[in-house]
Amino acid sequence: MTSASLFPDPVVRLVAGVDEAGRGPLAGPVAVAAVILDASRPIDGLNDSKQLSEAKREALFPLIQERALAWHVVFVEPDEIDRLNILQATLEGMRRAIAALRPLPDLVRIDGNRAPKGLDCMAETLVGGDAIEPAIMAASILAKVSRDRLMVRLHAAFPQYGFDVHKGYPTPAHLSALAAHGPCAHHRRSFAPVRKVLDRR
């Protein structure tokens, strides 16, 4: 990881923020978003997605898509999470989201303490970055809303699990449904609660 402070300021023209949603759930993909904000088109109300109501996130979602200079959202599906592990799957999602941006950024700021390898630009990691960097805030909102919407669609196909309520997280209701019905195709089989159910069957 290279700090932008080692380079002259003119080198850093475009800064992307990167964040994810859904590392902890037992089901569904992890969503990773990358956003380059446009300074000439500011967006009021940006914040860490976890600090915003669902209604506020939904209101900001189209504004970010409309006003950002570039944005991209990637889903890394459960089978790839099971194959790579959740950390490596998240890093791979970050790499794909960043690579898909047009224009490409000069610098990416990533929420957390790990950056993917093989990037074609400089990278900084920021612990708690979703409360500091507006581009990361925007990415956190795109990732969260995109994933939540997908889980609501999965609920229509698998209503027995309650994905529309808990979004795949290991709530008591989800664990109870998992024990009663077993996992579906969208559960992460490498995660311990799912693996335990499979072992009992």
Side-chain angles (χ1 to χ4, degrees), residues 53-65:
S53 67
E54 181 179 358
K56 186 61 174 176
R57 291 193 299 266
E58 287 285 349
L60 286 167
F61 187 86
L63 289 178
I64 295 166
Q65 292 180 317

Side-chain angles (χ1 to χ4, degrees), residues 18-33 72-82 84-97 142-144 146-148 150-151 154 167-169 186-188 191:
V18 180
D19 202 3
E20 52 75 26
R23 286 182 64 169
L26 306 180
V30 61
V32 183
H72 193 77
V73 178
V74 167
F75 291 122
V76 184
E77 299 296 337
D79 58 344
E80 192 165 10
I81 292 171
D82 289 338
L84 296 178
N85 77 46
I86 186 59
L87 173 59
Q88 294 304 319
T90 302
L91 293 173
E92 176 60 19
M94 291 178 179
R95 188 192 65 76
R96 293 173 188 170
L142 290 194
K144 172 68 173 168
S146 296
R147 188 180 189 280
D148 283 357
L150 175 62
M151 296 309 293
L154 288 183
K167 308 302 189 291
Y169 282 88
H186 299 280
H187 278 94
R188 303 173 183 178
F191 279 43

